[in-house]
Amino acid sequence: MIDMDLDTIAAFSTPPGESGLAVLRISGPLAASICDRLFVASSSRFKKPSAMEGYTLAHGYWGSIDEVVLACFRAPYSYTGEDVYEISCHGGQAIRQAVLDSVLAAGARAAGPGEFSRRAFFNGKMDLTAAEAVMDMIGAQAEKQAQVAYRQLTGGVSRVIHERTDHLYGALARLEMLLDWDEEEERPEDRELLVHELEHSEHELRLLADSFAGGRIIREGLAVVIAGSPNVGKSSILNALSGRDRAIVSNIPGTTRDTVEIDLTLNGYLVHLTDTAGLAIDSQDPIEREGIMRAENALRAADLVLWVLSPPLPPEDERLQEETRIERCLEEGKELLLILGKDDLRPTLPAEEDPAYYAAERFPDLPTLTWSDRSEDDLHRLKEILVRFIEGGILSFTEETLSVTSHEQVKSHGEGHSHGMLTHARHKVAVDRAVELVGRARADLQAGLSFDLVAISLKEALTELSTITGEDVSETLIEKIFSRFCIGK
Ligand SMILES: Nc1nc2c(ncn2[C@@H]2O[C@H](COP(=O)(O)OP(=O)(O)OP(=O)(O)O)[C@@H](O)[C@H]2O)c(=O)[nH]1
Ligand SMILES: [Mg+2]
């Protein structure tokens, strides 16, 4: 384990810029004496386990600086587990700087990124999943992101990991017992029972790993990319979904030359929406070609592609190139919804110009949605599809109605998910490895291999799981995690 830091650190927990108040946090053994020296209390009792003292004057950097509020959280009843003092001063730049300089001059050191949370972790105030959730809480833009972060902060992920771990420890204990027995004493039913237990563990862990598909999208936001030929109405869709005139719309093909990105929330879920330059065929214009390259990059990062086909359909050679692009997206495993745009023009179209007929013939298996920027209903349906896609995972459409079928394992990843939900790639990688190791242990048991070998795999699986909560984790990984934090957290 790593040595506890014994110095006293200080940093503002509020962002730079002008504000009514700013909060400077001091943590460590010198926190009390620094505050004693710097502040004259209106009453002098700020050494109670927890107290808020009003209107204390700072004698520091340039004499009296400000009237502040001092909150005291004595060890171990604080965020870091050390003595923590929080100074709420006025949030002007000069005042903030003077308060900080005074505290540093009095013996504190400027805290680095994530140092407060790192101390909280080492003092056993929170495990690694909770520390990661602190950052998610701060970064949450949408309600559902905040909800999953809060669940993780309050031990949601750790509890599930501990349950799985306890189960594996049970199997390991049984295995160790069998190891002590002579080979002649071994009964086939002992082996069978263990195989059964490991199968159960493997299954539960796999469900947990699969929950990451939905969990990642909730935590990071759903990346939706609108693509298609020039002038088909892509930017109009972005504007309709975002409810504002974000992208320029005109009847001149090639209006959008760069990607246009916007974040929106739908039913509390974060959606990153990207409009792209029309995918013109064989363009010689260098700016248009750069736009197309950016569109292709955006497509590669998409969770869901809205591919827009509108009348008039392009000539056959262009259509074939567009088909190739759509097929490439599908080969890359993208979920793709064909939007049959400018639906209001359809009644006037001959069948051979109608994108609906074309789509049904060329892409009969792809889900489609008719769309007109004049229809409130279409907008409502598109928003509903996006929400259901986030909640369900896969789009599937019957002839008349559109439905989203759920992955069994990610069904209702909102409230009360019985298998827990992973939202961090780091956790997913560890659970995947544990699934593999438990699977190997189970296969070795079935193949009649020695209990020693099986025990090794199980112990490795347990080690993998313990990296998630941070019970068994390298210093490098800890540094990596906390370095992503902001200063003051
Ligand atoms: N009739 C009708 N016209 C539409 C609809 N959606 C867009 N348009 C019109 O189609 C033209 C092109 O719309 P945009 O949204 O700029 O199309 P785009 O695909 O972004 O075009 P580029 O950026 O040039 O690739 C504009 O004149 C829009 O007003 C629709 O649903 N019905
Ligand atoms: Mg456009």
Side-chain angles (χ1 to χ4, degrees):
M1 262 295 158
I2 299 153
D3 284 343
M4 269 309 305
D5 302 277
L6 288 173
D7 57 354
T8 298
I9 51 173
F12 274 100
S13 292
T14 40
E18 214 170 280
S19 58
L21 292 173
V23 177
L24 179 82
R25 207 186 236 171
I26 312 175
S27 177
L30 292 182
S33 68
I34 289 174
C35 290
D36 268 344
R37 260 186 294 150
L38 286 180
F39 299 100
V40 177
S42 17
S43 72
S44 60
R45 296 180 305 137
F46 51 73
K47 283 179 187 162
K48 287 189 298 187
S50 176
M52 277 270 208
E53 293 294 332
Y55 293 94
T56 312
L57 203 65
H59 288 296
Y61 200 56
W62 66 44
S64 296
I65 295 169
D66 191 11
E67 288 193 325
V68 304
V69 172
L70 206 54
C72 155
F73 308 89
R74 298 287 287 187
Y77 307 102
S78 70
Y79 181 71
T80 59
E82 305 173 325
D83 280 353
V84 170
Y85 282 69
E86 284 180 6
I87 305 166
S88 301
C89 61
H90 290 100
Q93 251 181 52
I95 292 173
R96 269 203 327 254
Q97 195 59 50
V99 172
L100 178 62
D101 288 345
S102 304
V103 169
L104 298 184
R109 166 174 71 74
E115 258 195 278
F116 293 97
S117 302
R118 187 174 170 278
R119 289 184 178 201
F121 170 67
F122 282 117
N123 284 331
K125 301 295 284 187
M126 57 170 69
D127 71 10
L128 263 194
T129 65
E132 288 168 316
V134 168
M135 280 312 285
D136 293 349
M137 293 287 287
I138 294 169
Q141 287 170 263
E143 185 187 316
K144 301 287 182 187
Q145 284 180 302
Q147 280 176 7
V148 289
Y150 181 74
R151 211 172 303 144
Q152 184 168 323
L153 182 76
T154 51
V157 172
S158 313
R159 262 192 305 280
V160 178
I161 297 298
H162 285 138
E163 272 169 36
R164 304 288 166 268
T165 311
D166 286 351
H167 196 259
L168 281 182
Y169 270 122
L172 189 63
R174 195 190 301 276
L175 202 62
E176 302 276 0
M177 198 176 71
L178 295 177
L179 263 170
D180 290 340
W181 293 359
D182 289 336
E183 259 179 41
E184 304 83 71
E185 289 178 75
E186 189 196 319
R187 297 168 306 171
E189 56 266 37
D190 293 327
R191 214 171 252 270
E192 267 164 43
L193 191 69
L194 261 174
V195 166
H196 185 70
E197 268 184 45
L198 293 187
E199 268 170 358
H200 178 70
S201 267
E202 200 182 338
H203 173 71
E204 294 280 307
L205 284 168
R206 187 165 284 130
L207 287 181
L208 187 61
D210 288 346
S211 74
F212 179 70
R216 179 189 67 80
I217 283 176
I218 294 178
R219 178 169 164 265
E220 293 177 6
L222 177 75
V224 178
V225 175
I226 310 170
S229 296
N231 213 35
V232 289
K234 302 180 295 300
S235 301
S236 307
I237 295 175
L238 176 104
N239 288 347
L241 279 172
S242 64
R244 61 193 178 98
D245 261 346
R246 175 67 180 79
I248 301 171
V249 164
S250 88
N251 60 3
I252 304 165
T255 298
T256 309
R257 312 201 101 195
D258 201 346
T259 49
V260 179
E261 287 152 31
I262 197 165
D263 283 354
L264 54 126
T265 48
L266 294 177
N267 283 22
Y269 294 108
L270 178 66
V271 176
H272 307 289
L273 193 60
T274 304
D275 176 26
T276 57
L279 297 163
I281 309 300
D282 296 334
S283 171
Q284 296 307 311
D285 176 350
I287 298 175
E288 194 169 45
R289 275 168 50 180
E290 175 66 25
I292 292 172
M293 207 177 77
R294 288 177 185 212
E296 283 169 346
N297 286 342
L299 280 171
R300 272 190 282 280
D303 295 313
L304 175 64
V305 177
L306 306 180
W307 199 285
V308 190
L309 296 172
S310 296
L313 287 172
E316 199 184 345
D317 57 333
E318 292 183 19
R319 247 184 280 170
L320 288 176
Q321 292 212 35
E322 185 167 18
E323 283 170 19
T324 311
R325 284 191 161 122
I326 293 177
E327 272 152 12
R328 200 186 312 146
C329 269
L330 296 173
E331 278 159 19
E332 285 170 7
K334 299 289 168 206
E335 292 289 338
L336 195 144
L337 173 63
L338 278 181
I339 304 250
L340 306 172
K342 306 192 186 182
D343 189 49
D344 50 293
L345 301 180
R346 268 182 81 196
T348 61
L349 294 175
E352 64 275 13
E353 284 175 28
D354 188 338
Y357 284 103
Y358 165 69
E361 195 189 307
R362 294 295 304 130
F363 298 103
D365 298 330
L366 278 186
T368 56
L369 179 78
T370 51
W371 164 272
S372 164
D373 68 349
R374 279 125 239 239
S375 159
E376 278 295 317
D377 274 357
D378 287 354
L379 179 59
H380 181 74
R381 281 202 304 156
L382 182 54
K383 285 183 175 173
E384 202 178 288
I385 291 171
L386 296 180
V387 169
R388 280 154 62 188
F389 179 74
I390 295 172
E391 290 177 344
I394 301 178
L395 292 168
S396 82
F397 294 72
T398 57
E399 290 245 306
E400 315 77 34
T401 52
L402 174 154
S403 68
V404 185
T405 36
S406 301
H407 285 303
E408 186 55 32
Q409 53 277 53
V410 289
K411 202 183 275 174
S412 72
H413 18 85
E415 292 12 85
H417 196 279
S418 62
H419 305 291
M421 184 170 59
L422 300 182
T423 58
H424 281 253
R426 184 181 78 82
H427 306 171
K428 155 91 165 135
V429 168
V431 174
D432 276 346
R433 287 207 202 109
V435 170
E436 197 188 313
L437 287 158
V438 174
R440 187 187 306 162
R442 193 239 327 123
D444 287 351
L445 263 182
Q446 281 170 318
L449 298 187
S450 85
F451 289 137
D452 291 294
L453 210 63
V454 178
I456 289 171
S457 298
L458 279 192
K459 282 179 191 159
E460 281 178 27
L462 281 161
T463 307
E464 286 297 342
L465 292 178
S466 68
T467 62
I468 296 175
T469 51
E471 280 151 52
D472 189 351
V473 74
S474 72
E475 189 171 346
T476 325
L477 179 67
I478 288 173
E479 291 313 321
K480 204 169 125 196
I481 289 171
F482 286 107
S483 66
R484 286 201 293 258
F485 278 50
C486 42
I487 289 186
K489 242 307 155 200

